[in-house]
Amino acid sequence: MAGELPFETPLVKLREKILELEQFGSEKGIDFTEEIARLEERYRQLEEEIYNNISPSQKMHLARHHQRPTSLDMIGLIFEDFIELHGDRVFGDDLAVVGGLAKLGGMPVTVIGQQRGKDTKDNIARFFGSAHPEGFRKALRLMQQADKFRRPIITFIDTKGAYPGITAEERGQSEAIARNLRDMSMLRVPVICVVIGEGGSGGALALGVGNRVLMLENAIYSVISPNGAASILWKDASKADQAAEAMKITAQDLLEMGVIEQIVPEPRGGAHRDYESTAEAIKESLLHHLQELSNLHPDELVEDRYRKFRKIGEFQVVSKTEAPAASEDVVEVAGLIEKEAPADASDESAAASEVQTAEKS
């Protein structure tokens, strides 16, 4: 297994034992068929146990895997005739954001994605997928162009967040993100957003205001990166795993809360195991949702997007009559608190009157 993560170590060791037994049997002419079959069955059982019970922190590491497919990988496998367009027409061309024209099943679309690097040099050139203001402005320019020519928009989200350096602040980072949020909400064409890796903070949301938001099975999506949350809560970024467990950042959590509309399945072990099947699953979902959205009028698309984000965070307030009866323990504790509570308002008023009388005398 290439690029295995720590929780996959038992699988790696068992696979090594199987290979050693096969090699030894081949060299010595000994038949280990039954032993190998038992080990293979144990491997399948262990694989199922591990991948069916992946924790949020483990999903975070899968989402950040250095071999995980990038936006350009998915664009090349899903779309036809992709033509990349460059620059924001204001400052420059941010390589952390890629985008252009393409065809999806013969349908002209605009596709935009956040792009991590494939190696150290590429990561430095692309700022590890963290865009400057010109990256967000380039994305908005392409979306406005798509709106003008009635082309659906597909975005791929994969960033730890917007670039946090002083150069980005000097060029208006917050304004660029805010403008994207506002203008994306008013686009009169279908917008589908796909979180393929890590969707972090405003950098992710700047490409995330869509009619439909989809997530790969092992992707994560959060208001702040787990590392950033750990730095704030515990003053220790190394506690990112602990933060990830508490933040509800997985696709399963977000589907339950209504933040996303669909979880796109990944190959066993993660998207980095099989780019082609991952791309095929994403393509199938995109075509399905585009078919639904293509039946809506432009005004209905805007209203649909508005309703999607308005319903996020809805909750119910239970009235006292609907609330369940308190347990005996709760009643007892409440009684103790009442006994030890300070004097009521009338007692306090009488005490204040006595003080004033004493002061006058």
Side-chain angles (χ1 to χ4, degrees):
M1 296 170 63
E4 66 276 357
L5 295 170
F7 69 90
E8 297 174 307
T9 301
L11 286 174
V12 175
K13 291 182 177 179
L14 187 53
R15 176 55 62 188
E16 289 175 352
K17 289 181 181 179
I18 294 171
L19 293 175
E20 287 176 7
L21 196 57
E22 288 176 342
Q23 184 178 0
F24 184 78
S26 177
E27 292 175 354
K28 303 298 182 180
I30 303 173
D31 185 9
F32 290 117
T33 304
E34 292 185 7
E35 289 79 1
I36 291 173
R38 283 197 294 269
L39 289 175
E40 288 285 3
E41 178 60 27
R42 174 56 187 151
Y43 183 89
R44 284 189 291 271
Q45 292 175 356
L46 184 60
E47 188 179 47
E48 188 172 346
E49 290 173 9
I50 289 175
Y51 292 126
N52 287 351
N53 298 283
I54 299 179
S55 68
S57 60
Q58 291 169 341
K59 283 181 181 283
M60 177 185 71
H61 293 294
L62 280 172
R64 294 175 173 179
H65 198 285
H66 66 280
Q67 293 178 347
R68 193 170 178 85
T70 65
S71 293
L72 285 177
D73 291 327
M74 292 294 95
I75 290 171
L77 291 169
I78 295 172
F79 302 91
E80 308 93 42
D81 303 328
F82 174 63
I83 301 173
E84 186 175 356
L85 303 178
H86 298 272
D88 68 339
R89 304 297 187 267
V90 176
F91 181 84
D93 186 31
D94 188 347
L95 299 182
V97 175
V98 297
L101 312 178
K103 289 182 179 179
L104 177 63
M107 179 193 307
V109 298
T110 290
V111 56
I112 304 164
Q114 290 156 329
Q115 178 65 23
R116 294 177 290 106
K118 285 289 190 178
D119 52 39
T120 302
K121 183 178 179 180
D122 196 22
N123 263 318
I124 292 172
R126 298 184 185 277
F127 301 101
F128 294 85
S130 295
H132 281 70
E134 53 268 27
F136 298 121
R137 291 177 180 134
K138 173 168 69 171
L140 183 58
R141 179 177 75 84
L142 296 179
M143 287 187 277
Q144 290 170 338
Q145 181 194 78
D147 195 44
K148 178 179 179 179
F149 292 102
R150 314 305 305 157
R151 288 192 301 267
I153 298 169
I154 313 294
T155 70
F156 290 110
I157 296 171
D158 187 15
T159 182
K160 291 184 178 181
Y163 187 75
I166 189 172
T167 54
E169 296 299 330
E170 288 173 342
R171 298 200 286 271
Q173 185 74 289
S174 59
E175 186 275 340
I177 293 173
R179 185 180 294 271
N180 275 32
L181 300 180
R182 184 194 67 181
D183 290 5
M184 283 189 78
S185 68
M186 297 185 290
L187 292 169
R188 296 169 63 81
V189 295
V191 182
I192 301 178
C193 311
V194 188
V195 184
I196 61 173
E198 180 174 7
S201 193
L205 196 57
L207 295 186
V209 184
N211 297 90
R212 303 288 184 271
V213 179
L214 319 179
M215 280 182 72
L216 283 178
E217 183 180 358
N218 295 314
I220 60 173
Y221 196 22
S222 59
V223 70
I224 187 174
S225 72
N227 305 72
S231 297
I232 293 171
L233 294 175
W234 299 293
K235 311 300 181 186
D236 185 357
S238 66
K239 293 186 177 180
D241 285 1
Q242 186 176 341
E245 296 289 340
M247 290 172 62
K248 303 293 184 182
I249 61 177
T250 68
Q252 292 73 18
D253 291 326
L254 296 169
L255 180 65
E256 183 179 344
M257 292 187 287
V259 177
I260 66 171
E261 279 65 49
Q262 183 185 348
I263 299 173
V264 181
E266 295 186 27
R268 180 62 64 87
H272 60 284
R273 303 289 182 202
D274 189 343
Y275 283 22
E276 287 75 16
S277 65
T278 301
E280 186 60 35
I282 293 175
K283 183 175 182 179
E284 183 179 340
S285 297
L286 290 175
L287 290 171
H288 168 73
H289 289 288
L290 277 179
Q291 180 64 35
E292 287 185 351
L293 294 171
S294 63
N295 297 322
L296 299 180
H297 185 272
D299 291 336
E300 293 176 318
L301 288 169
V302 176
E303 180 63 21
D304 174 79
R305 204 175 302 123
Y306 172 81
R307 288 198 306 269
K308 170 194 164 43
F309 284 91
R310 283 291 292 175
K311 73 180 182 182
I312 294 175
E314 287 184 351
F315 62 92
Q316 291 182 341
V317 178
V318 180
S319 65
K320 292 182 178 180
T321 57
E322 296 174 345
S327 66
E328 293 181 1
D329 292 339
V330 173
V331 173
E332 183 179 353
V333 171
L336 290 172
I337 293 174
E338 185 176 350
K339 288 178 181 178
E340 297 176 3
D344 60 17
S346 60
D347 293 338
E348 290 177 1
S349 178
S353 178
E354 289 178 5
V355 171
Q356 290 176 357
T357 303
E359 287 177 349
K360 289 179 181 179
S361 61

